[in-house]
Amino acid sequence: MKLISPHGGTLINREVSGTEKQNWIAAAERIPRLQIKPRIFADIELIAIGAYSPLEGFLTRDDYESVVTKMRLASGTAWSIPVTLPVTGDEAAPLNPGDDVGLYLGDDFVGVLHLAEKFTYDKKREAALVYRTTDAAHPGVRVLYEQGNWLLGGRITLVNRPGNSAFPMYRRDPVETRALFTERGWRRVVAFQTRNPVHRAHEYIQKCALEIADGLLLHPLVGETKSDDIPADVRIRSYEAILSHYYPSTRTVLSVLPAAMRYAGPREAIFHALIRKNYGCSHFIVGRDHAGVGNYYGTYDAHYIFDEFEAGELGITPLFFDHTFYCKACGAMASSKTCPHQIEQHVTLSGTRVRELLGAGQLPPVEFTRPEVAQVLIDAQRNVVNV
């Protein structure tokens, strides 16, 4: 029973321990310092543990240009999102290629950038090609426009992980998920990416996928998201509720991904698939408007982008699902592929209507969401009101 190979063939490990770790801690006082934000640290951690394999650090110019324009690294390996370390001109000025740069999250020394290159870049060009818009109202584009005008490229070394990481019981590195899948005898593993609670539509497509797989990795993103997204701790409670009541525990694993959301739609669908490949998943669910926001992307653009890669180039198999809903005439969950009935027969609710019901302490229809999930969301709203 052999799991899928990591992207690029090798699971990268850039985290040090033992004597090497102590040597870097001792050297920290003698090397340049750079303050980073949690969003950047998330990328450092994910590079170091192999989640971003084959990346060993932040992109240098050739890789950056190739990813932005071709969705491939300079080597030709598929990669759709530029993973970069942006800094201001003042921060870049004293740094030179060949420097080891100490990376600090607040007062904590967390790692080292082995600087290979520093360069400027065109933010609007990156926005247009990666996010398919230059609109500053787009949350990913806004982050891009607000960050520094210089990029630092080079390999990284992770020295210290903060000891207060959220959801420790659900944090598993790729080497750990791979070991768990192997222990359970799984080879065909399907991953589901989410930044939302799991409602009946999500449950339906997950279980459809599970019918052809050995196991399901429910892999919510718990890094930086939009301020109006449901907080990660609330979402985790909702996942625990639905998994404990409606999923077989022997065929599901809940684990968290500490990445930030880019809201890059189609490109982020590729990115999310490759990350899950590194975690040991052979299949990846792609629903409607994956990683989308507002009206920036077409409903199924995240499906179509997979056609821009040759067979086998990504390695992981996408499973495409259309809009799903409960159909009163069918008496079951269905999708636009499988249901012949008019929309009047479909139980669908807008996000606004769901929030209104939850705010009033009312459970949405059971055809839309499980009552256990709805109760978690109602309790969370009450706690906010009572603060």
Side-chain angles (χ1 to χ4, degrees):
M1 300 291 289
K2 186 178 179 182
L3 292 172
I4 189 171
S5 296
H7 196 49
T10 301
L11 191 65
I12 299 300
N13 177 15
R14 297 292 304 164
E15 184 174 16
V16 294
S17 59
T19 301
E20 189 174 3
K21 176 177 179 176
Q22 294 307 314
N23 288 343
W24 278 118
I25 292 173
E29 296 300 320
R30 304 190 299 272
I31 61 178
R33 298 168 62 108
L34 180 67
Q35 281 288 336
I36 60 171
K37 297 179 179 180
R39 184 184 185 94
I40 297 299
F41 177 73
D43 284 339
I44 292 170
E45 181 179 12
L46 289 163
I47 292 167
I49 64 176
Y52 287 177
S53 297
L55 301 192
E56 296 187 65
F58 292 102
L59 300 187
T60 52
R61 188 194 301 268
D62 286 350
D63 280 328
Y64 171 81
E65 289 293 333
S66 187
V67 169
V68 168
T69 59
K70 303 175 184 177
M71 294 194 293
R72 289 160 179 83
L73 297 168
S75 65
T77 302
W79 196 263
S80 58
I81 294 289
V83 179
T84 59
L85 176 50
V87 295
T88 65
D90 288 343
E91 290 171 322
L95 304 177
N96 296 293
D99 286 347
D100 290 324
V101 183
L103 304 174
Y104 287 79
L105 187 62
D107 295 330
D108 296 329
F109 170 56
V110 294
V112 180
L113 169 69
H114 309 286
L115 184 60
E117 197 172 8
K118 64 179 183 181
F119 56 100
T120 57
Y121 63 114
D122 186 333
K123 294 181 180 181
K124 282 200 170 182
R125 177 169 171 263
E126 180 178 329
L129 292 172
V130 174
Y131 295 95
R132 302 189 180 188
T133 179
T134 57
D135 184 0
H138 181 292
V141 174
R142 182 171 62 251
V143 169
L144 174 62
Y145 286 173
E146 291 175 352
Q147 68 190 27
N149 294 324
W150 287 76
L151 299 178
L152 305 181
R155 299 168 77 193
I156 60 94
T157 295
L158 178 61
V159 179
N160 289 305
R161 292 202 225 185
N164 59 345
S165 298
F167 318 114
M169 68 182 296
Y170 295 123
R171 290 179 71 93
R172 297 183 181 89
D173 294 350
V175 69
E176 294 172 309
T177 55
R178 286 174 167 271
L180 180 58
F181 299 159
T182 300
E183 178 186 318
R184 292 192 175 192
W186 296 357
R187 182 170 61 85
R188 292 175 300 277
V189 185
V190 61
F192 185 81
Q193 145 73 32
T194 183
R195 67 177 198 269
N196 296 304
V198 170
H199 295 305
R200 293 294 300 275
H202 308 117
E203 179 185 346
Y204 171 73
I205 63 177
Q206 290 167 17
K207 289 181 174 178
C208 284
L210 191 50
E211 290 289 357
I212 64 166
D214 301 317
L216 167 73
L217 174 64
L218 181 57
H219 210 206
L221 184 147
V222 296
E224 184 178 304
T225 58
K226 296 191 287 89
S227 60
D228 59 348
D229 281 344
I230 293 175
D233 61 324
V234 177
R235 290 189 284 115
I236 291 295
R237 292 198 297 273
S238 77
Y239 304 141
E240 291 171 337
I242 196 168
L243 289 176
S244 65
H245 287 86
Y246 300 102
Y247 287 68
S249 61
T250 57
R251 296 192 61 195
T252 53
V253 169
L254 172 62
S255 190
V256 297
L257 179 70
M261 272 298 296
R262 269 79 172 177
Y263 302 96
R267 283 218 187 198
E268 196 160 4
I270 299 293
F271 182 57
H272 285 163
L274 295 177
I275 290 171
R276 277 38 182 242
K277 176 185 177 184
N278 289 325
Y279 277 88
C281 299
S282 57
H283 295 72
F284 182 67
I285 294 170
V286 187
R288 59 191 290 272
D289 198 21
H290 183 102
V293 62
N295 297 312
Y296 291 101
Y297 309 110
T299 304
Y300 299 112
D301 283 355
H303 294 189
Y304 306 145
I305 195 170
F306 283 82
D307 293 334
E308 299 183 34
F309 295 86
E310 297 296 328
E313 191 175 3
L314 298 176
I316 190 167
T317 302
L319 300 177
F320 302 126
F321 287 90
D322 279 14
H323 176 51
T324 55
F325 42 80
Y326 184 89
C327 174
K328 291 179 282 188
C330 292
M333 298 298 298
S335 76
S336 50
K337 284 184 177 178
T338 60
C339 175
H341 303 109
Q342 296 299 311
I343 194 170
E344 291 77 16
Q345 297 292 334
H346 303 165
V347 178
T348 58
L349 295 176
S350 69
T352 300
R353 180 56 181 152
V354 172
R355 286 189 290 273
E356 288 174 351
L357 289 171
L358 296 174
Q362 298 177 23
L363 296 177
V366 68
E367 295 87 358
F368 177 81
T369 194
R370 296 292 190 181
E372 294 85 356
V373 172
Q375 193 60 56
V376 168
L377 302 179
I378 289 172
D379 292 344
Q381 287 211 7
R382 284 174 178 162
N383 289 338
V384 170
V385 171
N386 292 332
V387 170

